[in-house]
Amino acid sequence: MPGSARVTDTSASPVPTAQRVLAPDLARGVMLLIIALAHTYIFTKIIGGEGVVLSAADRVATAGTIMFVEFRGYPMFAALFGYGLAQIHRRRTEQGHEWPWIRALLRRRARWLIAFGLVHVALLFFGDILTVYGLVALVFVGVLRFRDRTLALLAMAFLPVGAIILAVFAAEEAMTGESQYPPMPEGFLDELLFRLFVFPITGLVMVVSTIAPFLIGILAARHRLLEEPHRHVRLLRATAFVGIPLGLAGGLPLALAKAKVWADYSPLDAMIAAGLHQVSGYACGLGYAALIALVAARLTERQGPVTNALAALGQRSMTFYLTQSVVWAALFASYALHLKVTSPAIAAGVAVAVWLATVVLADLMRRRGAHGPAEVALRRLTYGPSR
């Protein structure tokens, strides 16, 4: 292989904990709470539909989920995925590897992500992100060599695509009165077929919604926004203190509609509200990431037990993302406990409780020096056995 004589390291060893950057790990740890809140809210819809009478607490929980969680955390996680991919590219380039070797490595990693994700879909949850990220990485790995300006223009081009798709879905829902979340059937085989049927639809929306923040994450990694936040304080503050309020304001119309406060909700209103919700979600998600980077910059030299636990969860985010799905299956599947939770307020409480349990488990793993099994499996399948 050309240039192989310059290679200094081909091992699959992870970056030592002491050398890891706090901000991405902290962001992933917090992000898992947002994912948990989003997923339990979805289960209330596929279990009870949109027609369930909401209490005051449920209205508040619904509005809060729409404004702070739904399509808010997802762009942040997608940006972190792009950031991580760019870090791998930079690290392997610095070790002396040529582009064809790095491209093959990243594509192999992407294919294994797709494999993990498809098993996840079939057995546990139809809203899988691993398959989506694998597909995006497989198709867009070449953008790692694009110029900054090209990446920015490409991100802007993809920005409205997801909003248009969601606007069409929302208009159809308003016209027909049918929920965008189909009711979940009962029985192991029926639920498996349900997940396999629904995932291509949800996956399409997620893929087109991932590309723009994924590209922005690559741009951020090039300029080391999370590794060196002290050099980018002005940009991070602007992103956080403009993006988050913009995202919350953009999510308000849809939140009022879903909480059944906005009564006369026409199909045109639905299209506008859904499109605005999606586009403003990008600003909010990136704002979340910027805010966590600013917080991490202040905590780097004085990390306490809470920070360490959250970072430990972020370092094992894939493992505990899948763990959450195991818990949802155990709680909600018809062949398990089959809890019929239709209250968004109760669902939010369940999400927080499960997330807190994973924080504790991740911290126990950190204390014992144990890596996440999903991360270890992906690394070994990607690189082969570590030297």
Side-chain angles (χ1 to χ4, degrees):
M1 180 180 65
S4 59
R6 297 191 295 113
V7 175
T8 58
D9 179 26
T10 58
S11 77
S13 301
V15 177
T17 302
Q19 298 177 19
R20 292 183 69 98
V21 180
L22 177 60
D25 290 335
L26 194 61
R28 291 184 184 100
V30 173
M31 183 63 224
L32 285 171
L33 171 60
I34 298 177
I35 287 177
L37 289 166
H39 287 180
T40 53
Y41 176 76
I42 289 173
F43 275 107
T44 66
K45 298 307 171 188
I46 63 177
I47 290 171
E50 299 282 357
V52 176
V53 177
L54 299 177
S55 66
D58 289 334
R59 290 175 189 268
V60 172
T62 297
T65 300
I66 298 298
M67 291 177 64
F68 289 89
V69 172
E70 192 176 65
F71 284 106
R72 268 84 188 115
Y74 184 77
M76 171 180 157
F77 220 28
L80 290 172
F81 175 69
Y83 200 102
L85 212 64
Q87 284 182 310
I88 295 173
H89 176 227
R90 182 175 68 229
R91 187 161 58 244
R92 295 303 173 182
T93 300
E94 290 171 351
Q95 290 170 356
H97 292 286
E98 300 289 345
W99 168 244
W101 187 92
I102 298 171
R103 181 178 57 199
L105 171 76
L106 294 176
R107 284 178 172 169
R108 185 163 59 250
R109 184 175 185 269
R111 287 192 291 270
W112 279 114
L113 275 175
I114 293 170
F116 274 78
L118 290 176
V119 174
H120 181 219
V121 170
L123 298 181
L124 296 170
F125 186 56
F126 63 85
D128 170 70
I129 62 173
L130 301 180
T131 305
V132 171
Y133 288 175
L135 286 170
V136 171
L138 197 61
V139 174
F140 288 90
V141 65
V143 303
L144 289 166
R145 288 160 61 88
F146 284 11
R147 294 180 302 172
D148 285 5
R149 184 172 180 272
T150 305
L151 284 174
L153 291 174
L154 197 58
M156 290 176 61
F158 275 100
L159 202 62
V161 179
I164 293 171
I165 293 175
L166 282 180
V168 172
F169 285 166
E172 181 184 11
E173 180 182 350
M175 286 188 290
T176 62
E178 296 180 0
S179 172
Q180 61 179 302
Y181 301 108
M184 186 164 61
E186 296 186 4
F188 178 83
L189 182 58
D190 287 340
E191 288 195 24
L192 186 149
L193 293 174
F194 168 82
R195 289 189 291 270
L196 294 177
F197 173 77
V198 171
F199 177 69
I201 303 171
T202 60
L204 171 64
V205 176
M206 292 166 71
V207 165
V208 297
S209 302
T210 295
I211 296 170
F214 166 78
L215 296 171
I216 292 171
I218 292 174
L219 270 173
R222 284 185 180 177
H223 298 279
R224 300 177 183 264
L225 262 66
L226 299 185
E227 291 104 317
E228 302 171 355
H230 56 280
R231 292 182 51 211
H232 307 281
V233 171
R234 182 175 297 179
L235 175 61
L236 291 172
R237 283 178 178 169
T239 304
F241 299 126
V242 174
I244 295 176
L246 192 63
L248 300 183
L252 182 60
L254 188 64
L256 294 175
K258 294 294 185 181
K260 304 188 187 305
V261 175
W262 185 1
D264 52 341
Y265 190 56
S266 71
L268 179 59
D269 294 331
M271 289 185 69
I272 295 173
L276 185 61
H277 177 254
Q278 169 79 343
V279 172
S280 62
Y282 291 122
C284 193
L286 297 175
Y288 284 165
L291 180 61
I292 292 173
L294 290 169
V295 172
R298 299 178 66 88
L299 295 176
T300 300
E301 300 300 327
R302 46 190 179 91
Q303 293 178 217
V306 174
T307 303
N308 287 333
L310 288 174
L313 181 62
Q315 291 163 17
R316 300 158 181 82
S317 57
M318 183 175 168
T319 292
F320 284 104
Y321 167 72
L322 295 172
T323 300
Q324 285 187 10
S325 293
V326 173
V327 175
W328 308 147
L331 292 177
F332 303 123
S334 60
Y335 48 86
L337 294 177
H338 200 196
L339 299 181
K340 293 182 181 277
V341 177
T342 59
S343 164
I346 293 175
V350 171
V352 172
V354 170
W355 176 77
L356 287 173
T358 61
V359 172
V360 173
L361 286 173
D363 194 49
L364 289 174
M365 293 175 70
R366 175 187 68 84
R367 293 171 186 271
R368 296 182 61 183
H371 299 295
E375 285 79 8
V376 171
L378 179 62
R379 189 177 299 118
R380 287 180 66 87
L381 289 167
T382 301
Y383 293 90
S386 179
R387 287 188 309 178

